[in-house]
């Protein structure tokens, strides 16, 4: 039997080799798993057993929310309901300094909760607001920074397809992880609002005031109750159903998708093209997510069968480091990987090691899951290769990457501060899941 460190090096080396030659991460894991099963599980019989176990992982009911949440976000975006809500928030904000930056945070948070897609949210906000802010004389950091920050909120605030995927890979309760992200997500949005306020106080010229059309009180009420509350109510009802136990996460996701369809029909925004594009878009991402689950499940089994995971955990705990130091080390690894890898690849590499190690150290698994999601959210906009940075470059081609990097830093700082708060006060993430139980 191979020593655990040689087995670990062999399996990870295969994954990195496939990635280096340009193989998509999901297929890279599949290739590494097949070779690993041949070496560690007895050739052809081992491959057959591994594939059977992988298909078993795909039959879990817990995977159902992924396509439904994705469909919900696609419908919300492609029917124009998201733009309708955003325009209403814009008109309600009035003439406060930095108005469009606040609109970005408020509208972006609302859109992120309903879309569940960080890249989709960033692309929409960037294409819509960056040209408008430039026209109004806003400095770059006042337009780009809030968009990068709120784009990442889609990872934390439900419905989050990435959170469902993480919970599935880590074998923790999906509903608890989704619910646990609500309070930290809105705390982070509040920090972003404070950051905008502070920047306008330090440099009033960063967001010049300008005249806007007066909106009568009656019109404000109409905008609020017609264009905003119905959209937000979908998320509120969805979360309430999970909290009260009226529906499982899968059932809540189905109700959420149905709710967006009904709203689109009521507002006469549903058409065949929007429906077809939404279904196709959701199916494409769902297929990749299921391949990822298949690859990750079989990779985890290989690590266990070869003794690599148990050997690594035993080695990591033999140093007798304080649990906090081990937690910070894991968080640092996630941030480091985020500088050159995308989030799903990071999850597939680290979840099989980090969650068993966290359980050994006595960490609450849901709380640790939120810490991991925050690390992934930070890595989305961490220079030099954060995905949201390149999405922003795509919608704002005249902006240099150095300006985009600098704009992201204050919002990365907010996320790091939230991580520190959650480490000191873990009950912030725990009280809603406990209330649900």
């Amino acid at each position: 039997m191979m020593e655990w460190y040689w087995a670990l090096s062999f399996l990870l080396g295969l994954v990195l080799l496939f990635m280096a030659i340009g193989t998509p991460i999901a297929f890279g894991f599949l290739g590494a798993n097949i070779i690993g099963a041949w070496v560690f599980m007895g050739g052809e019989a081992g491959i057959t057993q591994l594939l059977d176990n992988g298909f078993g992982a795909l039959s879990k009911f817990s995977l159902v929310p992924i396509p439904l949440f994705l469909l919900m976000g696609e419908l919300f975006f492609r029917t124009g309901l998201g733009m309708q809500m955003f325009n209403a928030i814009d008109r309600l904000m009035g003439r406060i300094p930095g108005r469009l930056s606040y609109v970005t945070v408020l509208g972006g948070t609302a859109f992120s909760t309903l879309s569940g897609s960080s890249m989709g949210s960033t692309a929409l906000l960037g294409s819509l607001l960056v040209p408008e802010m430039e026209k109004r004389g806003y400095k770059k950091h006042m337009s780009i920074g809030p968009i990068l920050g709120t784009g990442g909120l889609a990872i934390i605030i439900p419905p989050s397809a990435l959170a469902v995927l993480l919970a599935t890979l880590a074998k923790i309760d999906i509903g608890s992880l989704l619910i646990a992200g609500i309070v930290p997500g809105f705390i982070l949005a509040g920090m972003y609002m404070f950051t905008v306020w502070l920047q306008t106080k330090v440099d009033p010229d960063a967001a010049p005031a300008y005249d806007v059309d007066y909106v009568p009180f009656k019109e404000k009420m109409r905008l609020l109750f017609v264009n905003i509350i119905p959209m937000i109510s979908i998320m509120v009802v969805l979360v309430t159903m999970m909290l009260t136990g009226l529906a499982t996460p899968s059932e809540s996701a189905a109700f959420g998708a149905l709710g967006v369809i009904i709203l689109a029909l009521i507002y006469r925004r549903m058409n065949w093209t929007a429906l077809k594009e939404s279904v196709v878009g959701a199916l494409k991402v769902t297929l990749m997510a299921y391949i990822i689950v298949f690859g990750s499940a079989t990779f985890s089994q290989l690590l266990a069968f070869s003794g690599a995971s148990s050997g690594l955990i035993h080695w990591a705990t033999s140093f007798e480091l304080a649990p906090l130091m081990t937690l910070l080390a894991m968080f640092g690894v996630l941030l480091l990987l985020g500088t050159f890898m995308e989030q799903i690849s990071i999850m597939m590499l680290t979840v099989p090691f980090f969650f068993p190690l966290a359980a050994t150290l006595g960490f609450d698994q849901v709380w640790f899951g939120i810490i991991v999601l925050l690390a992934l959210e930070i890595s989305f906009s961490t220079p030099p290769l954060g995905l949201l940075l390149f999405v922003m470059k795509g919608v704002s081609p005249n902006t240099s990457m150095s300006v985009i990097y600098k704009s992201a830093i204050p919002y990365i700082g907010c996320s790091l501060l939230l991580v520190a708060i959650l480490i000191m006060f873990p009950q912030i993430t725990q009280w809603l899941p406990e209330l649900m139980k």
Side-chain angles (χ1 to χ4, degrees):
M1 187 71 175
M2 191 182 297
E3 292 289 344
W4 72 266
Y5 44 84
W6 289 119
L8 178 63
S9 300
F10 177 73
L11 292 171
L12 289 181
L14 286 174
V15 173
L16 294 175
L17 175 63
F18 279 113
M19 291 174 62
I21 62 177
T23 307
I25 182 67
F27 296 107
F29 267 89
L30 286 177
N33 291 340
I34 291 173
I35 296 173
W38 186 276
V39 173
F40 294 108
M41 299 179 68
E44 185 176 342
I47 294 175
T48 302
Q49 179 62 43
L50 195 72
L51 293 177
D52 288 341
N53 293 340
F55 284 114
L58 293 180
S59 63
K60 292 180 179 178
F61 185 66
S62 60
L63 290 174
V64 174
I66 293 178
L68 292 172
F69 280 152
L70 290 170
L71 178 62
M72 177 180 166
E74 289 281 339
L75 286 167
F76 188 70
F77 174 71
R78 296 186 185 277
T79 58
L81 290 175
M83 189 68 68
Q84 177 179 312
M85 179 187 68
F86 211 91
N87 290 335
I89 294 173
D90 182 24
R91 295 190 64 192
L92 288 175
M93 289 301 294
R95 297 186 67 246
I96 63 173
R99 164 177 163 266
L100 288 177
S101 296
Y102 288 113
V103 168
T104 301
V105 175
L106 289 174
T109 300
F111 184 79
S112 294
T113 62
L114 292 165
S115 73
S117 169
S118 293
M119 287 188 287
S121 180
T122 301
L124 173 72
L125 297 177
S127 59
L128 174 69
L129 288 174
V130 169
E132 180 68 18
M133 289 182 171
E134 289 180 351
K135 186 171 70 175
R136 301 291 183 181
Y138 280 58
K139 292 184 179 179
K140 292 285 189 180
H141 68 274
M142 294 297 295
S143 60
I144 293 173
I147 293 173
L148 290 172
T150 52
L153 285 176
I155 297 178
I156 305 169
I157 302 177
S160 167
L162 198 66
V164 174
L165 185 58
L166 176 64
T168 303
L169 298 179
K171 298 181 176 62
I172 59 180
D173 184 68
I174 293 174
S176 295
L177 186 62
L178 288 172
I179 294 297
I182 295 174
V183 177
F186 285 112
I187 290 175
L188 189 57
M191 289 181 177
Y192 291 163
M193 296 279 283
F194 177 77
T195 300
V196 171
W197 175 84
L198 189 62
Q199 288 175 328
T200 57
K201 287 295 182 182
V202 173
D203 183 9
D205 293 333
Y210 58 92
D211 291 330
V212 295
D213 294 335
Y214 172 73
V215 180
F217 178 78
K218 185 177 180 180
E219 177 65 11
K220 288 182 178 180
M221 290 298 100
R222 189 193 70 80
L223 290 171
L224 182 64
F225 286 96
V226 174
N227 294 342
I228 298 177
I229 289 180
M231 319 304 175
I232 301 299
S233 65
I234 293 177
M235 191 271 286
V236 173
V237 170
L238 187 152
V239 170
T240 302
M241 291 174 70
M242 287 192 287
L243 271 175
T244 57
L246 290 175
T248 65
S250 300
E251 293 164 345
S252 298
F255 279 115
L258 178 62
V260 175
I261 291 174
I262 292 173
L263 279 181
L265 290 171
I266 291 173
Y267 288 102
R268 298 181 180 179
R269 290 183 172 272
M270 178 61 75
N271 55 61
W272 174 248
T273 301
L275 181 61
K276 182 177 71 172
E277 289 179 350
S278 299
V279 172
V280 170
L283 280 175
K284 286 180 179 178
V285 182
T286 299
L287 178 61
M288 183 55 66
Y290 274 51
I291 294 174
I292 286 165
V293 171
F294 184 95
S296 178
T298 50
F299 188 67
S300 298
Q301 291 166 5
L302 264 180
L303 289 172
F305 191 86
S306 65
S309 55
S310 59
L312 179 65
I313 292 171
H314 179 75
W315 174 78
T317 54
S318 66
F319 290 103
E320 298 183 355
L321 292 175
L324 176 60
M325 296 304 298
T326 306
L327 173 66
L328 293 178
M330 289 190 285
F331 189 80
V333 169
L334 292 171
L335 293 186
L336 178 63
L337 292 176
T339 61
F340 60 90
M341 291 177 63
E342 49 89 23
Q343 281 60 40
I344 293 176
S345 303
I346 296 171
M347 286 167 51
M348 293 183 71
L349 277 176
T350 58
V351 165
F353 306 111
F354 281 10
F355 277 84
L357 179 57
T360 302
L361 295 171
F363 294 149
D364 179 84
Q365 293 283 279
V366 172
W367 170 82
F368 182 69
I370 295 297
I371 297 294
V372 171
L373 287 175
L374 278 168
L376 296 176
E377 184 263 334
I378 294 169
S379 68
F380 251 137
S381 52
T382 299
L385 299 178
L387 288 180
L388 296 189
L389 301 174
F390 291 97
V391 173
M392 181 56 61
K393 178 64 175 177
V395 299
S396 182
N398 297 326
T399 306
S400 67
M401 287 305 296
S402 62
V403 171
I404 295 175
Y405 293 161
K406 292 175 183 177
S407 301
I409 289 174
Y411 298 88
I412 293 174
C414 289
S415 298
L416 291 172
L417 177 59
L418 177 62
V419 171
I421 292 172
L422 295 183
I423 291 174
M424 291 187 289
F425 307 101
Q427 59 269 28
I428 293 175
T429 64
Q430 294 169 351
W431 74 275
L432 274 181
E434 289 173 359
L435 182 65
M436 181 177 71
K437 292 177 182 177

